[in-house]
Amino acid sequence: MIWTLAILIFIVLGWYAFEGRWDRRLFKAEPGRVCVNVHPTEAKVFLDAHPDTQVLDVRSDAEFSGGALPGAIHISLGDAAFQEKLGKLDMAKPVLVYCAGGFRSRKAVAALKAQSFTNIQHLHRGYHSWQLARLPVQRHPSSTVAQGS
C-alpha cells in the first residue's frame, strides 16, 4: 500500500515538473506575440472583453458532442487535416484553445505559434477546469467550421 502511494506521488510530481518546464517554453514572452496560459475565470473575462475571439476545441468528436464552450470551433487534434484546418482560422483574431485537460491543447498552441498566430490564450486544465468553475457550456454543440473542408 505504501509503495503504491509513493509511486502515485512520484508520478504526480513528475507530471507537474514536466508540465512546468513545457509551460515555461511554450508560454515564453515574445515580442509582438501574446501566448498565455489562463485559468477559467480569466478566460471568461477575456472572452467577454474580446467577443471576436475564436474558441478552438481540439478534443475528439465524441468529447465535443458531449458539450463545449459556447461558440466553439471544433478541429480535433487527431484530424489528419488539423494543420490545414487551423490555416482557415483568422490569424488577426485572438484564439482561445482548449482540450479536456490541457495536454492536446498545448500541442495545438505550438501549432498555432508555428502558423504565426499572434494572440493565443490557452485554457489551463481545459474543459474540465471550465466545468469545475461552473462557467457556461453548450450542450450538443455543432461546429462552426466545416469538418470536411
Side-chain angles (χ1 to χ4, degrees), residues 88-108:
K88 293 180 181 180
L89 296 176
D90 188 341
M91 293 174 58
K93 294 181 180 178
V95 177
L96 171 69
V97 61
Y98 72 95
C99 65
F103 184 77
R104 290 170 289 180
S105 53
R106 280 177 172 83
K107 290 182 175 185

Side-chain angles (χ1 to χ4, degrees), residues 53-73:
T53 300
Q54 302 164 103
V55 180
L56 177 60
D57 185 321
V58 298
R59 298 175 300 154
S60 71
D61 294 343
E63 290 171 303
F64 182 77
S65 67
L69 272 65
I73 298 165

Side-chain angles (χ1 to χ4, degrees), residues 11 13 16 23 29 40 42 51 55 70 86 90-92 108 114 123 127:
I11 290 170
L13 291 176
Y16 278 104
D23 285 355
E42 295 170 310
V55 180
L86 276 187
D90 188 341
M91 293 174 58
L123 181 58
Y127 185 68

Side-chain angles (χ1 to χ4, degrees), residues 57-135:
D57 185 321
V58 298
R59 298 175 300 154
S60 71
D61 294 343
E63 290 171 303
F64 182 77
S65 67
L69 272 65
I73 298 165
H74 179 234
I75 307 174
S76 175
L77 187 67
D79 188 329
F82 179 75
Q83 295 289 341
E84 179 185 333
K85 289 179 180 181
L86 276 187
K88 293 180 181 180
L89 296 176
D90 188 341
M91 293 174 58
K93 294 181 180 178
V95 177
L96 171 69
V97 61
Y98 72 95
C99 65
F103 184 77
R104 290 170 289 180
S105 53
R106 280 177 172 83
K107 290 182 175 185
V109 166
L112 289 163
K113 287 175 77 172
Q115 289 198 20
S116 300
F117 282 79
T118 58
N119 190 339
I120 306 166
Q121 310 286 314
H122 174 262
L123 181 58
H124 187 66
R125 303 275 184 249
Y127 185 68
H128 295 307
S129 69
W130 185 270
Q131 287 182 301
L132 286 171
R134 299 189 184 279
L135 293 168

Side-chain angles (χ1 to χ4, degrees), residues 1 6 8 11-12 20 27-28 32-33 39 44 46 57 59 62 67 71 74 85 101 106 120-121 125 127 136 140 142:
M1 177 70 171
L8 182 62
I11 290 170
V12 169
F27 303 111
K28 185 178 178 180
R33 178 180 282 183
H39 289 85
K44 177 72 169 102
F46 183 85
D57 185 321
R59 298 175 300 154
H74 179 234
K85 289 179 180 181
R106 280 177 172 83
I120 306 166
Q121 310 286 314
R125 303 275 184 249
Y127 185 68
H140 310 292
S142 60

Side-chain angles (χ1 to χ4, degrees), residues 18-38:
F18 170 76
E19 183 183 53
R21 279 194 313 272
W22 191 6
D23 285 355
R24 281 188 295 280
R25 284 192 315 266
L26 191 60
F27 303 111
K28 185 178 178 180
E30 297 176 32
R33 178 180 282 183
V34 175
C35 185
V36 293
N37 198 17
V38 295

